[in-house]
Amino acid sequence: MAVNDSVNILNSAYLAVEYIDSFLPDNPLQQPFKNAWNYMLDNYTKFQIATWGSLIVHEVSYFLLCVPGFIFQFIPYMQKYKIQQDKPETWEKQWKCFKTLMFNHFFIQLPLICGTYYFTEYFNIPYGWEEMPRWYVLVAQCFGCAVIEDAWHYFLHRLLHHKRIYKYIHKIHHEFVSPFGMQAEYAHPLETLILGAGFFIGIVVFCNHMVLLWAWVICRLMETIDVHSGYDVPLNPLHLVPFYAGARFHDFHHMNFIGNYASTFTWWDRLFGTDSQFIAYQEKEKKKQCITKK
């Protein structure tokens, strides 16, 4: 009975969003996107789209999303939004990070990406324009993928902090006490595989079109680069997402090597009390600000 009620609620919500969408003006980018998508389908094989297309989406999205944080370090005005102002980025650290990223991207992640075509074939996932889900379905699916990945990340990330294994794997990611956006995927190859596995679980559950895989790649990169950016910029649209953790939440984890284990949301840390030190830290900072103002 409870399952039927839940299904009815979801169906009602879907119909309501569909009804509202019918009144929205046409998206001026839809036709160009449709033309580009159909051109891709007409000129490339599914293997090329799934493999090299996915690699291009990942690489272009990753480094484009890193650009704002990279530029911030050269703008004095933006330094007031830097969380750890006493630890500026250095060229040496950024170059070291970039070299490790290139290794991980092409020797760890690319072999996994090469399996994308076989994944879509096995599950009979379509590529065509006509089968592409509506934007609000994609948004809901990406949110579902984020919830699943967040749960996986919390428990596996917390495990990687266990004193018996921390120094062998996860310590590499913590080389940078003050994180910056490009460092989001700076990690031991084993960590890339262990924590990265959470990305694929949501895809297995929700994927009904190739476009979801690319949309979820972009959403996940947007989130992880934001929380590693080192800057708490006001009017960040990601803070409109319910229970979103944000840069301060994860920056505290890099400062103290403990607590705040979740990747995207705050609920697992609240449930298990692993955000208690962060909450205490925030209260101290508020008191300091009040004293300074007086």
Side-chain angles (χ1 to χ4, degrees):
M1 187 68 179
V3 174
N4 290 333
D5 289 342
S6 299
V7 171
N8 290 333
I9 291 170
L10 289 173
N11 287 335
S12 299
Y14 178 83
L15 291 172
V17 174
E18 193 174 45
Y19 179 72
I20 294 170
D21 181 60
S22 66
F23 289 98
L24 296 176
D26 291 337
N27 184 351
L29 298 177
Q30 183 170 339
Q31 190 60 44
F33 180 60
K34 179 181 179 179
N35 294 338
W37 189 269
N38 286 329
Y39 177 86
M40 178 184 70
L41 293 177
D42 292 338
N43 291 274
Y44 300 96
T45 66
K46 284 186 177 181
F47 179 82
Q48 291 172 325
I49 293 169
T51 305
W52 305 117
S54 297
L55 177 66
I56 291 169
V57 167
H58 179 272
E59 294 304 300
V60 171
S61 299
Y62 192 90
F63 289 105
L64 279 180
L65 290 167
C66 286
V67 167
F70 179 79
I71 294 175
F72 288 167
Q73 64 183 311
F74 305 111
I75 304 175
Y77 177 80
M78 296 304 298
Q79 296 313 300
K80 65 180 179 180
Y81 301 120
K82 183 168 173 57
I83 300 167
Q84 298 186 55
Q85 296 186 8
D86 59 331
K87 296 182 178 67
E89 296 89 346
T90 66
W91 286 109
E92 181 184 1
K93 289 180 179 180
Q94 290 175 96
W95 176 240
K96 181 181 181 181
C97 177
F98 179 77
K99 289 187 293 183
T100 301
L101 277 180
M102 289 298 95
F103 177 84
N104 284 350
H105 284 184
F106 289 96
F107 291 96
I108 306 298
Q109 294 181 11
L110 179 56
L112 296 176
I113 290 172
C114 287
T116 305
Y117 167 74
Y118 302 100
F119 167 80
T120 59
E121 286 295 293
Y122 182 81
F123 288 99
N124 197 28
I125 294 170
Y127 289 60
W129 176 264
E130 298 303 323
E131 298 91 347
M132 189 177 293
R134 297 286 294 170
W135 66 268
Y136 46 84
V137 176
L138 274 177
V139 170
Q141 289 173 325
C142 286
F143 184 79
C145 287
V147 170
I148 293 172
E149 190 282 332
D150 185 69
W152 176 272
H153 192 101
Y154 175 85
F155 292 104
L156 272 295
H157 183 196
R158 189 172 178 180
L159 178 63
L160 289 175
H161 271 270
H162 192 281
K163 60 183 180 181
R164 291 187 178 180
I165 60 175
Y166 171 78
K167 64 181 179 180
Y168 299 110
I169 302 175
H170 193 52
K171 185 178 180 180
I172 290 177
H173 183 68
H174 277 280
E175 282 183 22
F176 304 109
V177 178
S178 178
F180 48 90
M182 191 169 59
Q183 189 241 337
E185 291 186 344
Y186 178 87
H188 189 285
L190 273 178
E191 179 175 340
T192 300
L193 294 172
I194 293 168
L195 295 185
F199 172 89
F200 297 98
I201 300 174
I203 291 297
V204 172
V205 174
F206 294 107
C207 197
N208 58 353
H209 196 280
M210 183 63 197
V211 75
L212 172 63
L213 194 146
W214 290 355
W216 170 223
V217 165
I218 295 169
C219 288
R220 177 70 181 114
L221 290 179
M222 192 182 302
E223 177 275 325
T224 191
I225 291 170
D226 177 60
V227 301
H228 285 92
S229 67
Y231 290 83
D232 186 18
V233 180
L235 303 178
N236 184 339
L238 286 175
H239 287 288
L240 297 174
V241 178
F243 302 100
Y244 181 66
R248 285 194 178 274
F249 189 85
H250 193 69
D251 208 279
F252 179 85
H253 175 78
H254 276 264
M255 275 193 287
N256 297 276
F257 310 102
I258 192 170
N260 295 9
Y261 298 110
S263 59
T264 307
F265 305 107
T266 57
W267 50 59
W268 287 111
D269 284 286
R270 288 183 181 179
L271 180 63
F272 291 101
T274 46
D275 65 344
S276 58
Q277 292 189 29
F278 174 65
I279 292 171
Y281 170 78
Q282 283 186 311
E283 291 176 352
K284 286 181 181 178
E285 288 298 306
K286 286 179 181 178
K287 288 181 180 178
K288 284 182 182 179
Q289 290 178 1
C290 290
I291 292 171
T292 303
K293 288 179 180 179
K294 290 179 182 179

